[in-house]
Amino acid sequence: SRKIELALRSGDQVLVQVTKDPIGHKGARLTSAISLPGRYLVYVPNGSMSGISRKLPDTERARLKKILKDALPDSAGVIVRTAAEGATEEQLTIDVQRLANQWAEIEHLVETASAPTMLHCEPDLLVKIVRDVFNEDFKQLVVQGDEAWQTGSDYVAGVAPELADRVAKHTGNGDLFHDM
């Protein structure tokens, strides 16, 4: 049996990702298997394996595998999400590149920051909704507040510019849900 004491000593720096927040007296669940979620895929830096959602048809899986073979750096793996169905080569390449750049920023912080420190944080709820849900099936995404508008419109412009015209800013003085 392997003991953690043989692998790590007090004072060692370890890069980990929180997979579950602390609840009550239980601490956070951590992993050293880092992953960065994107619009069409989950980027796994320093991973050699790639996987594609089994919910996708075999023909689509083969198409996506061929596209990612050229777009993916040798030093990374990906998990292709169901949302990638029908995505163009350009969309997938942009997603891979954006996540690779995000990982490069994290690696730079690993070298320059002193532990313990947070190197990256999951985005706010608006960005998660745009990343995971907002697609061409939606007629419009209405956002209230200047900061939320800026965050949302910037993110959509970066990850799905073809949907940018579907993001609208609520201009009324009242509550968005009341006014709609």
Side-chain angles (χ1 to χ4, degrees):
S1 66
R2 296 174 24 187
K3 294 185 177 184
I4 191 74
E5 294 84 10
L6 299 175
L8 296 172
R9 291 193 171 74
S10 181
D12 285 352
Q13 291 187 21
V14 181
L15 180 63
V16 294
Q17 183 171 17
V18 176
T19 59
K20 188 172 182 181
D21 289 332
I23 299 175
H25 295 293
K26 281 186 152 187
R29 184 182 303 159
L30 307 176
T31 181
S32 60
I34 309 299
S35 62
L36 300 170
R39 188 162 176 81
Y40 301 110
L41 50 91
V42 177
Y43 188 80
V44 184
N46 305 322
S48 58
M49 299 294 289
S50 290
I52 300 177
S53 170
R54 296 227 182 264
K55 293 179 183 177
L56 296 174
D58 290 339
T59 54
E60 182 67 358
R61 289 167 50 91
R63 182 186 77 86
L64 292 169
K65 188 174 185 177
K66 183 181 177 202
I67 291 171
L68 289 168
K69 186 176 184 182
D70 297 330
L72 198 60
D74 294 335
S75 63
V78 292
I79 301 165
V80 181
R81 302 172 69 193
T82 310
E85 185 172 17
T88 66
E89 182 174 354
E90 181 184 14
Q91 289 172 319
L92 292 169
T93 303
I94 288 170
D95 210 23
V96 167
Q97 191 57 54
R98 189 176 52 76
L99 294 168
N101 291 342
Q102 196 174 46
W103 175 244
E105 290 174 23
I106 292 169
E107 282 186 310
H108 175 71
L109 289 172
V110 166
E111 299 298 322
T112 58
S114 58
T117 189
M118 182 168 36
L119 304 173
H120 177 72
C121 183
E122 259 299 292
D124 65 9
L125 184 60
L126 175 61
V127 171
K128 282 196 230 182
I129 288 170
V130 170
R131 181 187 72 204
D132 298 340
V133 180
F134 187 59
N135 60 31
E136 58 279 341
D137 296 340
F138 286 81
K139 181 179 171 185
Q140 191 174 41
L141 173 67
V142 182
V143 182
Q144 183 173 12
D146 292 336
E147 187 177 332
W149 162 252
Q150 194 64 51
T151 300
S153 60
D154 287 351
Y155 188 75
V156 169
V159 299
E162 68 279 5
L163 299 175
D165 62 337
R166 297 184 191 195
V167 180
K169 184 176 180 182
H170 178 64
T171 55
N173 293 329
D175 180 55
L176 167 68
F177 293 106
H178 184 266
D179 292 349
M180 296 306 251

